[in-house]
Amino acid sequence: MDKTEETDMDFGLKDKVIFIAGASRGIGYGIAESLLGEGAKVALTARGAEALAETKAEFAKRFGSDRVWSFAGDLTQTAPIEEALAKCEAEFGPITGAVANVGLSPSPLGLDVSDDEWQAGLDQNLNSAFRLARGAIPRMAKNGGGSFLFISSIAGLGALGTPLDYGATKAAVNHLSTSVARFAFDTKVRVNTIAPGNIIFAGNNWEKQSTGPRAENWWRWIKREVPMKRFGTPQEIGDTAAFLLSERASFINGAVIAVDGGQTR
């Protein structure tokens, strides 16, 4: 093709309904923004009703109120997940894509992790992902297939000094994803995982550390550990997600893709 005839790649997501668990800020926000930019209809869910309402209003203003739908609730638990999925399909349309992106649960470094902190980490990072997959994939199969996406972390690919429950649960998500992909192969639902590296956005730990009293040390660490010598952005995760959720990624199934500037060795 002559270069003058080249056009932007069309991911074929126009009017597709994509359900995102954990979409009001950060990576979930970036995924929603990329999908909306590709013409998808996005179901936004999060625990915090106020932040979710603000995000929905912003996206409605930018992309149209008919492109966004929202549900506020605890998307780590089965009942709210099933309620959200059912309402989404009844009020917004049949789901053909879903993203498990419920946020992390804070806990201390080392072995001094209480039972409650450990359980919270399991619910936030692993149980929420399994419960959404269990609820969404059969619905998507009935709708003719689609793509399910887990959001993990490079902390699940190696021991990086993160809290134990975080690394362990993200490693479990990676295994869950590759296993579900095998079980789901006959449903026409592809299952993949993005393992983000150091992603910076307003209010998160990386922003605080990169501008705080030890900022110079953290920037030195980034430049040493990340070949691209910078942080990643939610948009870069969002664009990767849009590709994996589209039929352009039709032969990618059971993959765990690190989006980390080359940090993972």
Side-chain angles (χ1 to χ4, degrees), residues 91-178:
E91 300 171 6
F92 199 47
I95 296 167
T96 59
V99 183
N101 180 57
V102 173
L104 61 84
S105 179
S107 66
L109 295 173
L111 288 168
D112 190 20
V113 181
S114 70
D115 285 350
D116 287 345
E117 289 167 333
W118 185 263
Q119 186 60 53
L122 284 172
D123 280 340
Q124 287 288 108
N125 300 318
L126 177 60
N127 294 342
S128 65
F130 166 71
R131 289 164 180 161
L132 181 61
R134 181 179 60 186
I137 289 174
R139 290 178 181 275
M140 293 160 61
K142 290 179 182 178
N143 297 333
S147 178
F148 188 94
L149 188 60
F150 292 94
I151 304 301
S152 177
S153 168
I154 60 170
L157 299 175
L160 300 181
T162 59
L164 291 174
D165 65 313
Y166 185 71
T169 52
K170 290 301 188 181
V173 168
N174 293 339
H175 182 86
L176 173 67
S177 171
T178 55

Side-chain angles (χ1 to χ4, degrees), residues 1-7:
M1 177 184 294
D2 185 273
K3 191 170 184 178
T4 60
E5 297 177 353
E6 290 181 356
T7 59

Side-chain angles (χ1 to χ4, degrees), residues 1-223:
M1 177 184 294
D2 185 273
K3 191 170 184 178
T4 60
E5 297 177 353
E6 290 181 356
T7 59
D8 292 338
M9 179 181 288
D10 180 5
F11 285 168
L13 291 171
K14 183 173 174 55
D15 295 331
K16 301 290 187 181
V17 175
I18 312 293
F19 182 102
I20 306 176
S24 62
R25 64 190 294 265
I27 286 173
Y29 177 102
I31 293 172
E33 186 174 40
S34 290
L35 291 170
L36 287 164
E38 291 294 328
K41 297 173 67 175
V42 178
L44 310 165
T45 73
R47 188 191 302 241
E50 184 176 345
L52 180 62
E54 291 175 358
T55 298
K56 180 183 179 182
E58 178 197 340
F59 284 150
K61 183 177 181 179
R62 292 170 57 193
F63 298 101
S65 59
D66 61 325
R67 317 306 297 174
V68 289
W69 178 92
S70 67
F71 177 93
D74 183 359
L75 270 291
T76 68
Q77 302 301 312
T78 297
I81 289 171
E82 293 297 330
E83 181 184 0
L85 290 169
K87 285 187 173 180
C88 176
E89 294 215 305
E91 300 171 6
F92 199 47
I95 296 167
T96 59
V99 183
N101 180 57
V102 173
L104 61 84
S105 179
S107 66
L109 295 173
L111 288 168
D112 190 20
V113 181
S114 70
D115 285 350
D116 287 345
E117 289 167 333
W118 185 263
Q119 186 60 53
L122 284 172
D123 280 340
Q124 287 288 108
N125 300 318
L126 177 60
N127 294 342
S128 65
F130 166 71
R131 289 164 180 161
L132 181 61
R134 181 179 60 186
I137 289 174
R139 290 178 181 275
M140 293 160 61
K142 290 179 182 178
N143 297 333
S147 178
F148 188 94
L149 188 60
F150 292 94
I151 304 301
S152 177
S153 168
I154 60 170
L157 299 175
L160 300 181
T162 59
L164 291 174
D165 65 313
Y166 185 71
T169 52
K170 290 301 188 181
V173 168
N174 293 339
H175 182 86
L176 173 67
S177 171
T178 55
S179 296
V180 171
R182 288 183 172 271
F183 284 117
F185 79 94
D186 59 350
T187 67
K188 297 184 180 179
V189 178
R190 294 179 298 102
V191 180
N192 293 292
T193 294
I194 295 175
N198 310 303
I199 307 301
I200 193 168
F201 55 88
N204 82 334
N205 284 337
W206 280 124
E207 186 196 49
K208 295 172 184 175
Q209 290 167 341
S210 66
T211 58
R214 299 183 63 232
E216 184 177 342
N217 293 334
W218 283 113
W219 278 108
R220 188 180 301 118
W221 182 85
I222 287 290
K223 291 175 181 178

